[in-house]
Amino acid sequence: MVAERQKILASVDTDFPRWYQDVLEKAELADNGPVRGTMVIRPYAYAVWERMQSEVDARIKATGAENVYLPLFIPQSYLEREAEHVEGFSPELAVVTHAGGKELTEPVVVRPTSETLFGELMAKWIQSHRDLPMLLNQWANVVRWEMRPRLFLRTSEFLWQEGHTAHATREDAAEYATRIHLEVYKDFLENVLAIPVLPGFKTPSERFAGATNTMTCEAMMGDGKALQMATSHELGQNFATAFDITYTDAQGKVQTTWTTSWGSSTRMMGGLIMSHGDDFGLRIPPRIAPHQVVVIAVKDDDRTVDAAKQIVADLSTAGVRTKLDVRIAPGFGRRATEWELKGVPVRLEVGPRDLDAAQVTYARRDTDGKSPLPLADLVTTIPVLLDRMQEDMLASARTRLAERTTHVSTIDEAREAAKTGFAVIDWVVLGEAGEKELNRDAITVRCLQTRDGRMPDPLNPEQDLVAIVGRAY
Amino acid sequence: MVAERQKILASVDTDFPRWYQDVLEKAELADNGPVRGTMVIRPYAYAVWERMQSEVDARIKATGAENVYLPLFIPQSYLEREAEHVEGFSPELAVVTHAGGKELTEPVVVRPTSETLFGELMAKWIQSHRDLPMLLNQWANVVRWEMRPRLFLRTSEFLWQEGHTAHATREDAAEYATRIHLEVYKDFLENVLAIPVLPGFKTPSERFAGATNTMTCEAMMGDGKALQMATSHELGQNFATAFDITYTDAQGKVQTTWTTSWGSSTRMMGGLIMSHGDDFGLRIPPRIAPHQVVVIAVKDDDRTVDAAKQIVADLSTAGVRTKLDVRIAPGFGRRATEWELKGVPVRLEVGPRDLDAAQVTYARRDTDGKSPLPLADLVTTIPVLLDRMQEDMLASARTRLAERTTHVSTIDEAREAAKTGFAVIDWVVLGEAGEKELNRDAITVRCLQTRDGRMPDPLNPEQDLVAIVGRAY
């Protein structure tokens, strides 16, 4: 069986980039679109994305933010407010020059973000201190022309949410950005995607342009490289000053707001795949899995099929997302391999012999081996099993992160450790000069953290920080 | 009070177009975007749209369809497969000519629909009869350059879902398109939006290009004009032939599939506003309302505010979407007017005198007048009240539809009736010649129905049909 499986995918250990491409194709997750750098998200991957959206959206709304929808098209003049776009078309922009059957007087840009529109609108919508904080979020597609596209990780068009908020004080802005970072992103990534993340600050050189502070959640992929999963920015009064986002305070005085922005994208799909996948395909944590359990009828006789259907009905009633597979054409082995590829957490195999013994056979995707399970216990056992798998997958990802993270005290040691994972080095030891030196070898500071692995307090940053260093996607 | 209110909005009866613009602005639903014809959907309207999406999506999924996401950009050559696009840029298309900092070798079009991409992909994904039916849907933004934009009704960019399916037989395709039309669109529009619709077929001249049959759900707005709320198309084998969507049948023979497509959009927001709105603003049916109940503290003393908070907590626990309004600044009257404008179904006013009597005052948005309601009964009374309002709003819209629909027997009578509403006329009497004659006066056949108001059976259309005739948005 192992031999047969290994024909399907490249190996995680020996050719991770190839393995990633193989999984995308064989598990029917995504295809290249006809325009270079664009992506077709196929039903199975889109179902995962819908669950991501729903989980992240609920957390965003719990912080009090509301969703809006702003236009895809932005007048070119809006982007010219930002100095770096003044000289002609920025390479990342897609520009519409013709519409309505003729050439446009002013070209319009397909949004690379909606930042400038949020700026214009918040300036208009915010008048009084009573309008603050203004907490807005948008789910949308954005376009950044990509020279080296890679599905889910870097595509010319991607799906994301971008939040933009305005506050009366720096304290309120910092507190809110921190809340988004920890209660939305970190909580979702760890407790739903089972991906442990290192929350921290970006160094000044890695900061988002215009931000006074960029918070990041960094995760380690299966090959030891880092993936930035989400970022939140304190923009100070820079953005508010540029867009004139002011308010009249209780004393009638005009004040400038403090703003934040924060985002997460379909890149998280890439992170999910690369965090948990193994040589046999995806492994999807139960809380995000479109199908938590697949019930496979081993034979197509009425008794087996009816029993399989009954199990699906019982588990669905118990709140388990359950998929029925009673296909006749592909043999049982091929179907089992397919669900393994797709990373469905639990496979239940229903066959005549098992039914004679009033049991089914179950296989956990995250560990090897099959075991019998009495039919009578299914509805009570499976939900408990799914919870345990969720915990186990997070624990196992934490173990990998710990095993591949080395505490070092010199730049040379950091460079060595970054070959296979992360290095932790005192920020006073590394410094911006050391950071630049590592950059030459494509090694970056992923984030700065407190010595005990927490995100620094933006209002009272400790000086005693460590740098997490590694290669990154 | 009435005098004060009438200053806010134009009147439904005397200036409906102006009233519509006023409502969009005063109820903070939408703004024009900076690029002509684009739209900013503000939080309150977007919250309604999110509920629309969720309700429609659940119904689509219940029919077995899966969601995908296809790229925003389409190579121009894809559209040239369709004859009408061959000659240069079609006026409705927005074309990206520059990206990546330079001029593109082949311009790319911003999707006006994803039809051609679905065609290409289904041709690739469908191989065997076992892949059928293939039932796909997409939620996305699309762009059709609009010369006479009108927020929600006709905008250069809008949000929609488009479904595309392929089937082995014409029967299966027709049955599925009918199911989408009745179980998804009609059910949602009537039972959630409380908008009665006339399901029927488009006449050959009103049919979607390439369709063998177009099904529509037509609704009557507050001014007696029609709005097409959703359409479903049987595409026969036309589309499958153009895109080579074929399959190998059980006998190993290559066959051409039968396809359908169907869509609904943010236009439904326009329909919701124009169906139920009155001189005081929106009226949102409880099932789609972001806030079903708003609890207004009349004074800002602790006792009143605490009581209001307790009511919100109790109703929320009972599953009622409840909004708390304890703002101090705007006076009570202004706040009441604001919630009325926003069409929140039930307003609960909590004040010291009411609390002394262990009651609150409630106002239904759909009818006039206020009544006291004992605090002890709130949690049991409100859900029942919301259900009744939902029914009443549908019934009242049905009454208007019936009152403004006239059965006529000549084209002149049809023309007269269409001034204020719909005319029903035998299709054999009207005919395509009569249809053309009415078109000259901007009157169209909205749909063809059976004599008892049902949608004809696409597989066995009765000859004895009536035409619903009216002016339309």
Side-chain angles (χ1 to χ4, degrees):
Chain A
M1 191 79 169
V2 169
E4 186 201 336
R5 284 164 172 168
Q6 285 187 338
K7 278 181 213 154
I8 301 176
L9 303 174
S11 157
V12 165
D13 293 329
T14 59
D15 193 350
F16 197 75
R18 179 62 206 243
W19 168 87
Y20 183 71
Q21 290 303 324
D22 284 354
V23 168
L24 293 181
E25 185 192 329
K26 304 292 181 189
E28 301 180 342
L29 302 178
D31 271 348
N32 290 302
V35 173
R36 184 176 161 75
T38 64
M39 170 169 60
V40 172
I41 306 180
R42 300 185 67 177
Y44 188 63
Y46 197 79
V48 176
W49 173 245
E50 284 181 312
R51 295 197 60 79
M52 287 186 179
Q53 268 197 296
S54 148
E55 294 273 354
V56 171
D57 191 65
R59 284 170 177 74
I60 289 173
K61 284 179 176 148
T63 72
E66 296 181 300
N67 286 342
V68 293
Y69 187 79
L70 311 187
L72 175 69
F73 294 137
I74 300 174
Q76 210 179 344
S77 56
Y78 273 46
L79 296 177
E80 286 165 1
R81 286 200 177 201
E82 296 172 277
E84 62 266 37
H85 291 124
V86 173
E87 303 159 36
F89 300 143
S90 157
E92 75 166 14
L93 299 180
V95 185
V96 174
T97 55
H98 290 72
K102 53 185 182 183
E103 188 164 357
L104 295 173
T105 317
E106 185 192 351
V108 301
V109 166
V110 182
R111 62 180 163 220
T113 83
S114 292
E115 188 178 61
T116 55
L117 284 178
F118 272 104
E120 295 280 342
L121 290 167
M122 290 204 295
K124 188 170 138 189
W125 291 338
I126 294 170
Q127 301 295 330
S128 144
H129 61 99
R130 290 190 203 96
D131 299 322
L132 297 178
M134 181 163 283
L135 311 175
L136 299 175
N137 178 58
Q138 173 177 249
W139 290 94
N141 54 343
V142 288
V143 168
R144 297 176 191 179
W145 212 257
E146 190 54 66
M147 298 303 162
R148 298 172 299 126
R150 197 155 188 194
L151 295 179
F152 289 121
L153 299 177
R154 268 191 316 272
T155 46
S156 290
E157 178 195 7
F158 56 92
L159 305 181
W160 79 340
Q161 61 67 219
E162 59 179 304
H164 294 267
T165 69
H167 307 258
T169 64
R170 160 139 203 240
E171 287 66 29
D172 197 50
E175 197 184 298
Y176 187 78
T178 307
R179 194 173 165 201
I180 286 288
H181 211 69
L182 301 179
E183 293 178 22
V184 177
Y185 298 140
K186 183 170 185 287
D187 182 70
F188 167 71
L189 292 165
E190 297 192 335
N191 296 322
V192 180
L193 297 194
I195 300 177
V197 292
L198 303 174
F201 290 173
K202 286 291 183 188
T203 61
S205 76
E206 296 279 338
R207 227 174 248 161
F208 176 66
T212 56
N213 182 25
T214 290
M215 305 174 195
T216 181
C217 280
E218 298 287 325
M220 183 187 278
M221 302 294 102
D223 59 353
K225 284 170 78 173
L227 187 70
Q228 176 180 301
M229 302 291 283
T231 49
S232 308
H233 314 290
E234 288 183 81
L235 302 169
Q237 293 185 307
N238 298 338
F239 187 74
T241 303
F243 284 87
D244 201 23
I245 311 172
T246 57
Y247 68 98
T248 307
D249 69 15
Q251 285 72 45
K253 207 179 138 198
V254 175
Q255 302 276 9
T256 301
T257 61
W258 298 77
T259 70
T260 80
S261 70
W262 27 279
S264 62
S265 74
T266 32
R267 186 166 233 234
M268 293 191 295
M269 277 296 304
L272 181 73
I273 298 164
M274 294 198 298
S275 281
H276 298 302
D278 65 16
D279 282 357
F280 308 127
L282 289 179
R283 296 190 314 156
I284 304 194
R287 282 199 198 129
I288 199 77
H291 316 307
Q292 298 176 304
V293 172
V294 59
V295 179
I296 305 184
V298 172
K299 303 238 161 169
D300 66 339
D301 60 283
D302 284 355
R303 178 184 170 227
T304 307
V305 169
D306 287 349
K309 284 183 179 164
Q310 189 57 51
I311 291 170
V312 170
D314 292 346
L315 286 175
S316 299
T317 304
V320 176
R321 295 187 293 276
T322 311
K323 172 84 179 172
L324 176 67
D325 180 357
V326 291
R327 288 173 295 169
I328 305 157
F332 164 73
R334 197 171 134 195
R335 288 189 285 153
T337 303
E338 182 186 318
W339 294 117
E340 199 164 50
L341 258 170
K342 293 200 166 179
V344 175
V346 173
R347 212 166 68 230
L348 292 184
E349 301 169 3
V350 183
R353 259 181 301 177
D354 273 329
L355 288 177
D356 288 342
Q359 64 181 34
V360 295
T361 299
Y362 84 92
R364 275 175 68 154
R365 178 62 184 87
D366 63 332
T367 54
D368 280 338
K370 297 183 184 184
S371 312
L373 189 61
L375 272 174
D377 298 347
L378 264 184
V379 168
T380 48
T381 306
I382 294 291
V384 176
L385 176 66
L386 292 170
D387 283 345
R388 196 184 316 141
M389 286 181 68
Q390 183 78 31
E391 284 168 31
D392 288 355
M393 287 184 76
L394 178 60
S396 133
R398 274 198 207 288
T399 300
R400 180 183 63 210
L401 175 61
E403 283 175 356
R404 297 178 82 157
T405 299
T406 314
H407 289 258
V408 302
S409 50
T410 69
I411 293 175
D412 283 343
E413 287 170 352
R415 191 183 287 114
E416 186 58 30
K419 284 182 182 163
T420 54
F422 294 168
V424 183
I425 184 169
D426 282 7
W427 179 228
V428 291
V429 172
L430 184 62
E432 299 198 26
E435 183 184 12
K436 261 189 197 139
E437 201 184 318
L438 289 175
N439 287 172
R440 272 180 237 126
D441 295 322
I443 297 165
T444 46
V445 177
R446 305 313 308 153
C447 65
L448 302 177
Q449 292 194 309
T450 64
R451 206 162 280 282
D452 59 350
R454 285 177 299 105
M455 188 167 74
D457 176 355
L459 293 172
N460 187 22
E462 297 158 54
Q463 296 306 306
D464 188 26
L465 299 178
V466 294
I468 311 295
V469 161
R471 292 168 304 141
Y473 281 93
Chain B
M1 191 77 169
V2 168
E4 187 201 338
R5 285 163 172 169
Q6 285 188 338
K7 280 181 211 152
I8 300 177
L9 303 174
S11 157
V12 164
D13 292 330
T14 59
D15 193 350
F16 198 74
R18 178 62 206 242
W19 168 86
Y20 182 71
Q21 290 304 323
D22 284 353
V23 168
L24 292 181
E25 187 193 328
K26 304 292 182 190
E28 300 181 343
L29 302 178
D31 272 348
N32 290 302
V35 172
R36 185 176 159 75
T38 64
M39 169 169 61
V40 172
I41 307 179
R42 299 186 67 177
Y44 188 62
Y46 197 80
V48 175
W49 173 245
E50 284 182 312
R51 295 196 60 80
M52 288 187 177
Q53 268 197 296
S54 150
E55 294 274 353
V56 171
D57 191 65
R59 284 169 175 76
I60 289 173
K61 284 181 176 147
T63 72
E66 296 180 300
N67 287 342
V68 292
Y69 186 79
L70 311 187
L72 174 70
F73 294 137
I74 300 173
Q76 211 180 342
S77 56
Y78 274 46
L79 296 178
E80 285 165 1
R81 287 199 176 200
E82 295 172 277
E84 63 265 38
H85 292 126
V86 174
E87 302 158 36
F89 301 142
S90 157
E92 75 166 13
L93 300 180
V95 185
V96 174
T97 55
H98 291 72
K102 52 186 183 182
E103 188 163 358
L104 296 172
T105 318
E106 186 192 350
V108 302
V109 165
V110 182
R111 63 181 163 220
T113 83
S114 292
E115 189 177 60
T116 56
L117 285 178
F118 272 103
E120 295 280 342
L121 290 167
M122 289 204 296
K124 188 170 138 189
W125 292 338
I126 294 169
Q127 301 295 328
S128 145
H129 60 98
R130 290 189 203 98
D131 299 322
L132 297 178
M134 181 163 283
L135 311 174
L136 299 175
N137 178 59
Q138 173 178 251
W139 291 93
N141 54 342
V142 288
V143 168
R144 297 175 191 179
W145 212 256
E146 190 54 67
M147 298 302 162
R148 297 174 300 124
R150 196 155 189 196
L151 295 179
F152 289 122
L153 299 176
R154 267 192 315 273
T155 46
S156 291
E157 178 194 6
F158 55 92
L159 305 181
W160 80 339
Q161 63 65 217
E162 59 179 303
H164 294 267
T165 69
H167 306 259
T169 63
R170 155 131 210 249
E171 288 66 28
D172 197 50
E175 197 182 298
Y176 187 79
T178 307
R179 194 173 165 201
I180 287 288
H181 211 68
L182 301 179
E183 295 178 21
V184 177
Y185 298 140
K186 182 169 186 288
D187 182 71
F188 166 72
L189 292 165
E190 296 192 334
N191 296 321
V192 180
L193 297 193
I195 301 176
V197 291
L198 303 174
F201 290 173
K202 286 290 182 189
T203 61
S205 76
E206 295 279 338
R207 227 174 249 161
F208 177 65
T212 57
N213 181 25
T214 290
M215 306 174 194
T216 181
C217 280
E218 298 286 327
M220 183 187 279
M221 301 296 101
D223 59 352
K225 285 171 77 173
L227 187 70
Q228 178 180 299
M229 302 291 283
T231 50
S232 308
H233 314 290
E234 288 183 82
L235 303 167
Q237 294 184 306
N238 298 339
F239 187 74
T241 304
F243 285 87
D244 201 23
I245 311 173
T246 57
Y247 68 99
T248 308
D249 70 14
Q251 286 72 45
K253 209 179 138 197
V254 174
Q255 303 274 10
T256 300
T257 61
W258 298 76
T259 69
T260 81
S261 70
W262 28 279
S264 61
S265 74
T266 32
R267 186 166 233 236
M268 292 192 295
M269 277 295 305
L272 181 73
I273 298 165
M274 293 197 299
S275 281
H276 298 302
D278 65 16
D279 282 357
F280 308 127
L282 289 179
R283 295 191 315 156
I284 305 194
R287 282 198 200 130
I288 199 76
H291 316 307
Q292 298 176 304
V293 172
V294 58
V295 178
I296 306 185
V298 172
K299 303 239 162 168
D300 66 340
D301 61 283
D302 284 354
R303 178 182 170 228
T304 307
V305 169
D306 287 349
K309 284 183 178 165
Q310 189 57 50
I311 291 170
V312 170
D314 292 347
L315 286 175
S316 299
T317 303
V320 177
R321 295 187 293 277
T322 312
K323 172 85 179 172
L324 177 67
D325 181 356
V326 291
R327 289 174 295 170
I328 305 157
F332 165 73
R334 195 169 135 195
R335 288 189 284 155
T337 304
E338 182 186 319
W339 295 117
E340 199 165 50
L341 257 170
K342 293 200 166 178
V344 175
V346 174
R347 212 166 67 230
L348 292 184
E349 301 169 2
V350 183
R353 259 180 302 176
D354 274 330
L355 288 177
D356 288 342
Q359 65 181 32
V360 295
T361 299
Y362 84 93
R364 275 175 67 153
R365 178 61 183 87
D366 64 330
T367 54
D368 280 337
K370 297 183 185 184
S371 312
L373 190 62
L375 271 174
D377 297 347
L378 264 183
V379 167
T380 48
T381 306
I382 294 291
V384 176
L385 175 66
L386 292 170
D387 282 346
R388 195 182 318 138
M389 285 181 68
Q390 183 78 32
E391 284 169 31
D392 288 356
M393 287 184 76
L394 178 60
S396 134
R398 275 199 206 288
T399 302
R400 178 182 65 209
L401 176 60
E403 283 174 357
R404 298 179 81 157
T405 298
T406 315
H407 289 257
V408 302
S409 51
T410 70
I411 293 175
D412 283 343
E413 288 169 352
R415 191 183 288 113
E416 185 59 28
K419 285 183 183 163
T420 54
F422 294 167
V424 183
I425 184 169
D426 282 7
W427 179 228
V428 291
V429 172
L430 184 63
E432 299 196 26
E435 184 183 12
K436 262 191 196 135
E437 201 184 319
L438 289 176
N439 288 173
R440 271 181 237 125
D441 295 321
I443 298 165
T444 47
V445 176
R446 306 312 308 152
C447 65
L448 302 177
Q449 293 194 308
T450 63
R451 205 162 280 281
D452 58 351
R454 285 178 299 104
M455 188 167 74
D457 176 354
L459 293 171
N460 187 22
E462 296 158 54
Q463 297 305 307
D464 188 24
L465 299 179
V466 293
I468 311 296
V469 162
R471 292 167 306 141
Y473 281 93

